[in-house]
Amino acid sequence: MNEKINIGIIGGSGFTGLELVKILKNHKYSNISFLTSRTYKNKEVSEVFPSIQDEKKNGLVFKETALKSDYENIDLLFLCLPPYNSMEHVHNTAGNKNYKIIDIGSDFRINDPASYKSWYGKDHIIPELLNDFVYGLPEINRDLIKKSSYVANPGCYPTSVLLGLAPLLKAGYELEHISIDSKSGVSGAGRKLAEPYLFGSLNNNFYPYCPKNHRHIGEMEQEIKKISGHDYKIDFTPHLLPINRGIFSSIYCKTVQGQADDFEENITEVYNDFYSDSIFVKVLTANIPQLKDVVGTNRCLVGISYDGRTSILKIFSAIDNLLKGAAGQAVQNMNLMFGLEEDEGLKMDGTYS
Amino acid sequence: MNEKINIGIIGGSGFTGLELVKILKNHKYSNISFLTSRTYKNKEVSEVFPSIQDEKKNGLVFKETALKSDYENIDLLFLCLPPYNSMEHVHNTAGNKNYKIIDIGSDFRINDPASYKSWYGKDHIIPELLNDFVYGLPEINRDLIKKSSYVANPGCYPTSVLLGLAPLLKAGYELEHISIDSKSGVSGAGRKLAEPYLFGSLNNNFYPYCPKNHRHIGEMEQEIKKISGHDYKIDFTPHLLPINRGIFSSIYCKTVQGQADDFEENITEVYNDFYSDSIFVKVLTANIPQLKDVVGTNRCLVGISYDGRTSILKIFSAIDNLLKGAAGQAVQNMNLMFGLEEDEGLKMDGTYS
Amino acid sequence: MNEKINIGIIGGSGFTGLELVKILKNHKYSNISFLTSRTYKNKEVSEVFPSIQDEKKNGLVFKETALKSDYENIDLLFLCLPPYNSMEHVHNTAGNKNYKIIDIGSDFRINDPASYKSWYGKDHIIPELLNDFVYGLPEINRDLIKKSSYVANPGCYPTSVLLGLAPLLKAGYELEHISIDSKSGVSGAGRKLAEPYLFGSLNNNFYPYCPKNHRHIGEMEQEIKKISGHDYKIDFTPHLLPINRGIFSSIYCKTVQGQADDFEENITEVYNDFYSDSIFVKVLTANIPQLKDVVGTNRCLVGISYDGRTSILKIFSAIDNLLKGAAGQAVQNMNLMFGLEEDEGLKMDGTYS
Amino acid sequence: MNEKINIGIIGGSGFTGLELVKILKNHKYSNISFLTSRTYKNKEVSEVFPSIQDEKKNGLVFKETALKSDYENIDLLFLCLPPYNSMEHVHNTAGNKNYKIIDIGSDFRINDPASYKSWYGKDHIIPELLNDFVYGLPEINRDLIKKSSYVANPGCYPTSVLLGLAPLLKAGYELEHISIDSKSGVSGAGRKLAEPYLFGSLNNNFYPYCPKNHRHIGEMEQEIKKISGHDYKIDFTPHLLPINRGIFSSIYCKTVQGQADDFEENITEVYNDFYSDSIFVKVLTANIPQLKDVVGTNRCLVGISYDGRTSILKIFSAIDNLLKGAAGQAVQNMNLMFGLEEDEGLKMDGTYS
């Protein structure tokens, strides 16, 4: 392939939108046709966000909204919008059929309208489209994504959790119980102006939030069922870390008692096999995953530890919530949908060493 | 009481020793007779650590070691020593019987010599004393501590976990399983010069360590058994937070299915009753505990959340690892042992607001 | 003295107000009669701010506003209000003459109405009172403060700068030029909800702000003139540090060329003499001041370094902006005004060691 | 050009070496022939530093030392070594003439052997080579660098300061005095295991270090003289910031009094002209530079503010010390030396937005 993919981005000035811009700027086959931002309409991206270089003065400028003619010239649309806004956008632009869509928001991740309502508290306005969107976790659904025009990019927590659990569940291991303790950097909350997100409130601090019924549970249980065939009810508790980026999930799986001595070793092999074709997931053996090793990359590091005393299998999973948990994974999906190398534009190493 | 307690401190220049000095300096009935430090022998405390004020030039000076005559004049000895060193010290000064001892180290927390060996990898050199030391968690053992001469100050993780679990276990609730995900600030590791503790390694980072068989498990299971009568095997995973001080434990208790709708409310009442006489433990109802609300205090904040979907009772517990988890609790024990108000010298509010 | 001072606090829920509450709670001669907060009216302090202990259930509750009868029973009023609000408050309660006032805000620091207007952009509404307020920097104006009923508590930056410069200026050294590069933790901005103060914006970041005509310059030049007799125009640039608390000022004084070899030594002696009676200022010789050594204390650490190559005398000054730079200094002033020991309630050691 | 440049790296496991590896991995015309590390000899880079991806299993492995045959196959050698080690290395490998050298260390930055000795305290062992090394600040010496085989990569502080001062000095403005207050993230100190660099020591902290005669002064004064023709004695004070990466320099220039009203505007134009061909330096007008906008990039952001009250021109300069201050600039020099686009491999946007 040697033509460029023409791309539109709706909601380009949030953390996810900007990470997308940074990746696409250095992506060999991408051309950003337009990107929108109500807050910064008509402003140059590199003026508002000096961390983004525009040395060639390409004039990447935020538009307030995209016009009908804008949509006519694109091959792919990324939606970086808050809950309920993606489905409204798709609903309002439903006549446009000529481009693919990757929704980085949460509106098309749940397949069942009733389940959507129970987790999101509202009726879905275009439930008939829910099954057209493939759940965009490439390590699980690579082939489906390649063939699909509509992709729902997974949530940040679900990405970290599902990559940690998939090989185990796929291999058919039965679990009595799954408890997940996740910790996220503050960028997961976007640029929300609220006291808990002030530097003075979060620096030196740590705490859980939303200890019951976090929305991502619905998405996780749905995918866990697809992988395992079982109706697991998972226990999930998110916490807020005093860092900018990164999600670390500690997943505690209660196994059937009396595992063999080489259980940890066997499980590690299962994981290595499962991810043998997945460039972005690395199963560590000598080390335990650390956030600093994934921040700035599109990778997921996985660690495995089995405690024979309690029959608990501990799975540790680390990702950058804005990359593998959002914009990076979205470009990975784009690469698959357009027949490109899966890691085109995503070869970044970590920020810390 | 109007006489002062004469106090000796062995190992006074570590984090715990210094917090002890800061508390005792403002304690109405305390007089520091001597404190030792090999590293800083013959140096004034306020010169080596300018954060400690010595405006009256009392000349608080580190001694290299304490002499026999030093021990003759004290009423109480605090040991702030690494593993194996407290028992050596007690062994070597065994002739001195005239003072009480609070060991802030880990050598006298385990009662059973065999258990000690299995967790600490060595034989205890004075096993006959193990049962003379009371486990110094005042909220559980207040009366025993009042009558005792030797107190083993609990570990930082066990303090946070046991305060979170005690009321539930004491009330006789049966649990299928207990998984504990604890997160600690770096001061828990002292001033160890090693790459993981460098600012460049820990800032913006997060990860678990020692995922199997952390030594504090032995201490926790021992005390859990005393409280509940049950031989629980607990699952415990410590993590390192990019902050200086504070331990946050998220405790996941798998309860018997089918709890009543008001289970959370009932449990909260159980906790409030249990801690009605405990000035330092506060059960939050409107809020979830946050580390910033305990750092700088001797308090433990506890939060309770029951998830009916999974029958998991989540208990959140936050302490300052250097205060309630070490030096503060040691002074609380001292107050009890000498018949003082339990919070004398410990009325500090939090550092952050 | 053995009676308690009855105290009112207007604006009690900001950072400064809360630090004041924490100090006064443990102050032997203080009784908080009332404290106000519009935001948290009728709420218990320890409920809104769990870091503040209220173990005895004294019921310290925020009032929306203070009533006339409230003012009748107090000996001292602290004003913790934003610019323009203190003078309005004093104006509106002018009939009340029975209590002393310490204004921690900025409205009464400038003596000359014209100067006030030029720095604050508005006419002062009670200019006739400007000279009744003593500038509350105890190390300079101790005797005046003791005799005064109205005290204007200095700004945080001016406190750090004036304590750094006073001995040098008082001793009559002539300077060609003074450049001040100050760095402040974010608590100086209060709890303002604005993007620059979000954790995601400030963590890992650093930058200057307000590089021209910061309001504190007027206050500093006024006091510098009183001390030195000279009309110095100082150059002042504040910067924002990714920390919660602390101000560090690096003060570059261009001296007359050709100082003797022992200039640094002599200057250090001048400083030590000047501060010989000042319990809270410590001139370091072996070390350079660090913020971690003052955070949590009411102290100012000063360091001196003379560079013969450039004839620049560098003075380093470190304070906790919320304590020596605000609430701590206010209580120090209170102690002086009521004939108490200057450090009553202010014996706190640093938070970090 | 379509052949790859074969590259050797001596000292590849420090912060600078690893940043170099990360850049070169994604550089179109680079091939890393070997890299050395005593500490990690025979280990794979991506195993020791999991933040560095090696998805294609290229087997980038640290060698203990480079052999004679290794040197025969390279076109370019990067030296990432501590003081005194680069000159020893060049001395010992002097027979090899077939490759170019970029020394990222400090041994070849000073041209005059006597000056070298006065700043570095030792005799230079190959003084005859000092003038063969071009000072590798491309924005000043672009043409020289293009033609040179040996380049001394500037120090991190000098890069930030010289880029801030060059246009002003080149334009012939006379200055009475230059005071520079620089602040650096801790990566400037490498991975040194010493108490000041522990997380517990630096988090929430800030202070100056080396207030007299920092070695970088010699380098700065030498280059300032080349640019301006004047023998300026500059005043320079480095400070340590509680962040990983970034240097921020606040440069205070005392100008001749009585500048015209449009002085700031004129100076800004001078800067814009000077940097019109420099892709990596951006003069901000609407904003003040912030570290977060340069961290992760090879850029320098410059801000200008003139204070008529004091005749002080303030220049603010922000860089990433590991990129524009070290490895990034080294690759920029390599690009020039090999006739490539100046920003090949250096198009990274900032990490924070």
Side-chain angles (χ1 to χ4, degrees), chain A residues 9 28 31 33 47-48 50 112 162 189 227 258 261 278 295 333:
Chain A
I9 302 173
K28 236 185 275 183
N31 173 51
S33 292
E47 280 306 314
V48 184
D112 173 38
L162 294 170
I227 297 166
D261 282 355
S278 291
V295 169
N333 281 317

Side-chain angles (χ1 to χ4, degrees), chain A residues 110-173:
Chain A
I110 302 280
N111 304 124
D112 173 38
S115 174
Y116 177 86
K117 187 171 186 180
S118 82
W119 288 105
Y120 286 86
K122 293 193 185 179
D123 283 314
H124 203 285
I125 61 173
I126 36 177
E128 66 277 13
L129 281 187
L130 283 176
N131 280 301
D132 293 354
F133 276 80
V134 166
Y135 191 73
L137 194 55
E139 287 74 13
I140 315 292
N141 293 331
R142 190 170 284 118
D143 293 334
L144 278 175
I145 294 163
K146 283 182 183 173
K147 291 179 289 188
S148 101
S149 292
Y150 296 154
V151 162
N153 215 54
C156 48
Y157 286 122
T159 296
S160 84
V161 169
L162 294 170
L163 291 177
L165 280 171
L168 185 72
L169 296 172
K170 190 76 182 178
Y173 285 93

Side-chain angles (χ1 to χ4, degrees), chain B residues 15 18-19 21-22 25-26 46-47 49-57 191 203-204 244-245 279-280 282 284 286-287 292-295 297 299 301 341 343 346-353, chain C residues 15 18-19 21-22 25-26 46-47 49-57 191 203-204 244-245 279-280 282 284 286-287 292-295 297 299 301 341 343 346-353:
Chain B
F15 282 139
L18 288 169
E19 289 301 310
V21 168
K22 291 183 197 175
K25 275 180 57 192
N26 292 315
S46 65
E47 281 302 317
F49 299 101
S51 68
I52 295 184
Q53 221 167 345
D54 187 16
E55 69 290 342
K56 299 283 164 55
K57 301 283 168 206
R191 288 204 194 82
N203 187 35
N204 301 307
N244 291 31
R245 294 165 72 140
I279 215 163
F280 292 116
K282 189 170 179 180
L284 297 182
N287 299 305
K292 81 175 171 62
D293 293 329
V294 296
V295 170
T297 79
R299 289 193 301 160
L301 294 183
E341 290 285 311
D343 65 348
L346 297 170
K347 299 189 174 74
M348 309 85 78
D349 292 306
T351 312
Y352 305 104
S353 49
Chain C
F15 282 138
L18 287 170
E19 290 300 310
V21 167
K22 292 183 197 173
K25 276 180 57 193
N26 292 316
S46 65
E47 280 305 313
F49 300 101
S51 67
I52 296 183
Q53 222 168 344
D54 187 16
E55 71 288 342
K56 299 284 163 57
K57 301 284 167 203
R191 287 204 196 81
N203 188 35
N204 301 308
N244 290 32
R245 294 165 73 141
I279 214 162
F280 292 117
K282 188 169 180 180
L284 297 181
N287 300 304
K292 80 175 173 59
D293 293 328
V294 297
V295 169
T297 79
R299 290 193 301 159
L301 294 183
E341 290 285 312
D343 65 348
L346 296 170
K347 299 188 175 77
M348 310 84 77
D349 292 307
T351 311
Y352 305 103
S353 49

Side-chain angles (χ1 to χ4, degrees), chain C residues 10 23 27 101 133 144 179 192 236 255 277 307 315 323 327 334:
Chain C
I10 305 293
I23 297 170
H27 187 286
I101 296 176
F133 275 79
L144 278 173
S179 260
K192 208 182 294 174
F236 173 71
T255 65
D277 293 331
D307 182 356
I315 302 164
L323 293 174
M334 166 184 127

Side-chain angles (χ1 to χ4, degrees), chain C residues 5 45-46 48 86 135 163 216 235 282 352:
Chain C
I5 304 162
V45 175
S46 65
V48 184
S86 294
Y135 191 74
L163 291 176
H216 282 173
D235 173 44
K282 188 169 180 180
Y352 305 103

Side-chain angles (χ1 to χ4, degrees), chain C residues 237-250:
Chain C
T237 315
H239 300 67
L240 194 53
L241 279 169
I243 63 172
N244 290 32
R245 294 165 73 141
I247 283 182
F248 195 98
S249 291
S250 304

